[in-house]
Amino acid sequence: MNIIDLHCDALMKLQEAKGSLRFADANELNTNKKRLQAGQVKVQCFAIFIEPDIKGDQKFQVALEQIDYFYKEVLGRNPDMVHIKEWSDFDRLKLGQIGAMLTLEGVDAIGNDLAKLHILYQLGVRSVGLTWNQANLAADGAGEPRGGGLTLFGKEIVEFNNQHQILTDVSHLSDKGIWDVIELARYPIASHSNARALCNHPRNLTDEQAKAMFTRGGLVHVVYNPPFIKESGVVTISDLVKHIDHFCSLGGVKQIGLGSDFDGITAFVKDLEDASKSHNLINELLKHYKEEEVRGFACENFLNHRPGIGVILD
């Protein structure tokens, strides 16, 4: 069953390794091509993420370096990896091809310069999260005690996203920031967040936020990171499925997807340690849901709610 995974941090690992890793089969990458193929991941989204200790005047350069690795290592060495730059590109993927789409996890790299976001858009970024866990010039993150919402600049970014059919990602935002995005964004999404009712973590969505996302036509993609699934103990695939169950109970059965966070996490769900194990999650879901619903979670819900009209992947 084809899967669309909305979040991984492989580009950060590739950039930090300075060319010593091969995307095709590097064991250090949870989402290397070999593992994506084994797990039937049809589209992998690659986040541009800048570590918070990078100096401000270097952040945009680091973002460009990660994009360079995306073009040269992910795409350049692997002709069966296909760059997704337009929403209709999903429909053109052929058998044996894997789509690759750029996303931005936090706008720290652009400072206060919207022109830099336009450059990233031209290079292929199609989903933008305003923050990581800290505050920046656009908004407060989930880890900022102040808990503020979007700044005027943050609202300009959302408007830019709306105009250019870019997804606005609420994962990592403060609660107030999430509500601001739900109000303002034409294409809201949570690329890798779970249910706070089941695991009381500030990175997860409250029931009210999730229901508002569903009402607005937004998508919520569950994340495989154990601290966002269960507060203690061994975390199993069944524990992750409970979050899908919960979001379904809130009316999201046709708006739930997957966002692994592979290569950005250091702990793993048992039997879901890398992209090649994705079939274990699908098989567990098939025990609880109709095949049509599981196909929705795996890929079709995203296709049906992306900007434009979705169709089933080959």
Side-chain angles (χ1 to χ4, degrees), residues 31-313:
T31 52
N32 67 37
K33 186 182 73 172
K34 183 178 179 181
R35 286 170 169 162
L36 294 177
Q37 290 170 329
Q40 292 185 268
V41 178
K42 186 68 173 178
V43 178
Q44 179 65 61
C45 292
F46 292 83
I48 302 161
F49 170 67
I50 314 301
E51 294 279 10
D53 59 349
I54 301 293
K55 293 181 180 179
D57 61 353
Q58 298 174 2
K59 290 184 176 182
F60 190 64
Q61 178 61 33
V62 172
L64 293 179
E65 287 177 10
Q66 291 187 15
I67 294 172
D68 189 47
Y69 280 105
F70 176 77
Y71 274 90
K72 290 196 305 189
E73 178 60 40
V74 176
L75 301 177
R77 292 178 180 270
N78 301 280
D80 44 356
M81 298 293 298
V82 177
H83 192 184
I84 300 286
K85 288 190 72 173
E86 305 299 336
W87 297 111
S88 58
D89 289 343
F90 286 89
D91 306 331
R92 288 188 280 271
L93 289 174
K94 298 177 182 177
L95 191 65
Q97 293 181 327
I98 298 174
M101 189 174 87
L102 283 172
T103 70
L104 183 61
E105 186 173 25
V107 297
D108 303 55
I110 72 169
N112 64 350
D113 188 353
L114 206 59
K116 289 181 177 177
L117 182 59
H118 196 267
I119 291 170
L120 298 180
Y121 168 73
Q122 290 175 310
L123 290 171
V125 169
R126 292 297 178 266
S127 178
V128 172
L130 297 175
T131 68
W132 191 57
N133 291 332
Q134 287 78 35
N136 59 23
L137 296 178
D140 281 0
E144 170 56 55
R146 177 177 54 185
L150 271 59
T151 64
L152 290 177
F153 182 58
K155 293 177 181 178
E156 286 183 42
I157 291 171
V158 174
E159 181 55 31
F160 178 91
N161 292 348
N162 289 345
Q163 291 175 359
H164 292 84
Q165 291 193 327
I166 298 171
L167 304 173
T168 299
D169 188 358
V170 304
S171 290
H172 284 289
L173 271 173
S174 66
D175 281 343
K176 191 172 188 309
I178 291 173
W179 285 114
D180 286 346
V181 168
I182 289 171
E183 178 183 352
L184 297 171
R186 189 173 297 167
Y187 312 107
I189 195 163
S191 66
H192 57 305
S193 295
N194 290 337
R196 201 178 301 179
L198 300 187
C199 183
N200 188 23
H201 194 289
R203 273 279 287 100
N204 287 338
L205 300 178
T206 67
D207 286 0
E208 291 75 17
Q209 290 165 348
K211 286 189 285 189
M213 288 283 288
F214 298 145
T215 298
R216 289 278 294 169
L219 290 148
V220 175
H221 284 228
V222 296
V223 60
Y224 307 172
N225 194 12
F228 304 160
I229 299 171
K230 187 177 174 183
E231 292 174 23
S232 62
V234 175
V235 178
T236 66
I237 291 175
S238 293
D239 294 321
L240 177 59
V241 170
K242 289 176 184 176
H243 286 264
I244 293 175
D245 293 341
H246 187 77
F247 285 136
C248 285
S249 75
L250 301 177
V253 67
K254 294 186 177 181
Q255 290 163 261
I256 296 166
L258 306 176
S260 68
D261 206 6
F262 281 142
D263 293 308
I265 56 178
T266 55
F268 300 94
V269 175
K270 188 176 183 295
D271 297 322
L272 194 57
E273 293 86 2
D274 61 58
S276 71
K277 307 289 186 67
S278 300
H279 63 278
N280 290 333
L281 173 58
I282 298 302
N283 289 340
E284 183 64 28
L285 286 168
L286 287 169
K287 297 176 184 177
H288 302 271
Y289 292 94
K290 299 173 184 176
E291 183 175 344
E292 176 186 357
E293 293 170 329
V294 177
R295 288 188 184 279
F297 304 149
C299 68
E300 290 177 11
N301 288 347
F302 179 83
L303 293 174
N304 292 334
H305 287 82
R306 64 186 155 149
I309 298 175
V311 299
I312 297 173
L313 293 174

